[in-house]
Structures are given as C-alpha cells and as structure tokens.
C-alpha cells in the first residue's frame, strides 16, 4: 500500500524589498537604457540585471517583473512632462509663446528622460492596447488636444498663417521634436534650451533668407 507522503512545500516567493530612492532610480535608469536600445520584447530581466551588475534573482527583490519596471519608467516620465506642460498651458501665454514654451519643455524632458522618450516613441502604440498601459493613449489624446488647440488659437489670432494645415503642422512639430531622443545626449555641447531656440527659429521663421 502506498504510504502517506508529506506534501511538498512550494518555494517561498521572494519578498519585495524597498531599495533606497537613489538605488531604485539607478536600477530604473539602467532598465530604461536597455529597453531603449533593445526594445521591450527583446529585453529580459536577466539582460537588465547584467547591465546593472547584479543577479537576475536579486532584481526580483526590487521589482516583480520587467513590466513593472517599464510602467514606472513611463509613468514617471509622463507625470513630469505633464507637470511642465500644464504649467505652460495655465500661464495664459499667447499662441506663439505657448508653442515656444511647449517645445522648450519638451527638450528639457528629453534631457531628463532621454531613454524613456525613446521607449515611448517605439513602444507606446502596442503597449497602449494593454490595460496596464492604457494611460499612454489618454496622454496622447491630451497631448494632441493641447498642441492642436494652441495652433488653432494662433490661426484665429492671425499669429500663424491662415492656410496652415493644423493637423499636418502638429504632426511635423511633434515628430521632429521627439525624434531628437535618438541622437540627443545629456551633457553635450548644447543645452536643451539652446537646441529649442534653434529648433523654434527654423520652425517658426524658416531657414531661407527673407527678401
């Protein structure tokens, strides 16, 4: 007859521990660089751990999944972005001044969160289909409303050309600002504000000499 055997005890789940804010930031910055370079799907927890100089199992003491890391990276970036944008939009500036301030704030965010911006550019479309990342779609709609509204206000006020295609202009400005995350490196020759000034000069005044 079979004898009663004691039931095997399942391995205990590793407890989540709280790293110092500085260490947590370091780990998320490392994860962001790996996600930006290799793409979310191709990135494993082991690759992030290797880049951070630690064992993959040790990383699980701080984050329960790579999804959690990505969520924290993107939500922190967007929270800070909208703090800056909301301040600009609430300032009561004219349409041109609002565009200038939004572009400048965008370059500051690229300076602070270059890898997160690169991830957002590459991954947001398919990530937003997941319930956990639905806030990416909400943010995109809010972003579009802010820019289109400012451009429309500028046309109505005769600050911008009457024949301006608002949606095309929005897409041009949006894409040419955020693509800078692919080449911008913090601490380079030009500050975010200097790059924004040059960019705004080309967008708002053109590059041809006026006759």
């Amino acid at each position: 007859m079979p004898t009663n055997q004691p039931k095997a005890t399942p391995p205990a789940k590793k407890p989540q521990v709280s790293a110092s804010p500085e260490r947590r930031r370091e780990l998320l910055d490392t994860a962001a660089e790996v996600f930006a370079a290799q793409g979310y799907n191709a990135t494993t927890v082991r690759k992030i751990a290797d880049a951070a100089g630690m064992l993959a199992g040790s990383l699980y003491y701080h984050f329960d999944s790579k999804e959690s890391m990505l969520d924290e990276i993107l939500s922190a970036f967007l929270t800070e972005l909208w703090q800056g944008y909301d301040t600009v939009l609430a300032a009561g500036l004219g349409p041109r001044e609002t565009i200038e301030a939004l572009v400048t704030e965008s370059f500051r965010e690229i300076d602070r969160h270059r890898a997160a911006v690169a991830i957002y550019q590459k991954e947001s479309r398919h990530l937003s289909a997941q319930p956990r990342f639905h806030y990416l779609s909400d943010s995109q709609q809010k972003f579009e409303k802010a820019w289109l509204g400012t451009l429309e206000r500028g046309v109505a006020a005769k600050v911008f050309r009457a024949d301006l295609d608002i949606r095309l202009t929005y897409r041009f400005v949006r894409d040419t600002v955020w693509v800078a995350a692919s080449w911008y490196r913090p601490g380079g020759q030009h500050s975010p504000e200097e790059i924004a000034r040059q960019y705004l000069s080309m967008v708002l005044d053109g590059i041809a000499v006026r006759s």
Side-chain angles (χ1 to χ4, degrees):
M1 293 179 61
T3 57
N4 291 328
Q5 297 291 330
K7 292 182 179 179
T9 302
K13 186 177 179 180
K14 291 181 179 179
Q16 297 288 299
V17 298
S18 297
S20 69
E22 294 77 14
R23 179 55 175 161
R24 190 176 185 85
R25 184 73 261 160
E26 288 174 4
L27 292 174
L28 288 171
D29 286 346
T30 298
E33 292 294 339
V34 179
F35 285 135
Q38 300 189 19
Y40 176 67
N41 288 334
T43 298
T44 62
V45 171
R46 182 176 295 279
K47 288 181 179 179
I48 297 170
D50 288 345
M54 63 195 302
L55 297 174
S58 299
L59 196 58
Y60 279 113
Y61 280 108
H62 305 290
F63 305 96
D64 61 14
S65 64
K66 70 172 188 176
E67 183 181 52
S68 293
M69 286 183 271
L70 183 63
D71 187 6
E72 195 161 337
I73 290 164
L74 292 176
S75 60
F77 154 60
L78 289 174
T79 295
E80 189 170 303
L81 173 71
W82 279 108
Q83 286 173 347
Y85 271 24
D86 286 340
T87 298
V88 170
L89 295 170
L93 302 173
R96 178 174 176 131
E97 291 76 19
T98 299
I99 291 291
E100 290 172 343
L102 290 174
V103 167
T104 301
E105 189 60 38
S106 298
F107 278 107
R108 287 173 179 155
E109 286 304 309
I110 292 172
D111 181 64
R112 289 189 285 254
H113 297 284
R114 186 202 61 80
V117 173
I119 296 166
Y120 182 85
Q121 290 290 95
K122 295 175 185 177
E123 311 281 359
S124 61
R125 177 166 296 185
H126 75 265
L127 284 173
S128 60
Q130 303 178 28
R132 183 166 188 168
F133 293 99
H134 188 69
Y135 62 84
L136 297 177
S137 293
D138 295 338
S139 181
Q140 179 58 37
Q141 291 173 12
K142 185 179 176 183
F143 186 90
E144 184 173 311
K145 182 179 179 181
W147 284 83
L148 289 176
T150 303
L151 289 168
E152 289 169 352
R153 189 159 56 94
V155 170
K158 299 184 179 180
V159 174
F160 302 141
R161 296 194 334 246
D163 64 338
L164 206 63
D165 185 313
I166 298 298
R167 189 162 293 274
L168 184 61
T169 303
Y170 155 69
R171 288 172 177 167
F172 170 77
V173 174
R174 176 197 64 190
D175 292 348
T176 48
V177 167
W178 294 113
V179 77
S182 65
W183 55 260
Y184 180 82
R185 292 297 178 269
Q189 182 179 358
H190 302 292
S191 70
E193 292 78 13
E194 290 169 343
I195 295 173
R197 280 196 295 273
Q198 285 289 326
Y199 177 87
L200 285 162
S201 175
M202 289 183 282
V203 170
L204 296 175
D205 300 320
I207 62 173
V209 175
R210 294 180 178 180
S211 58

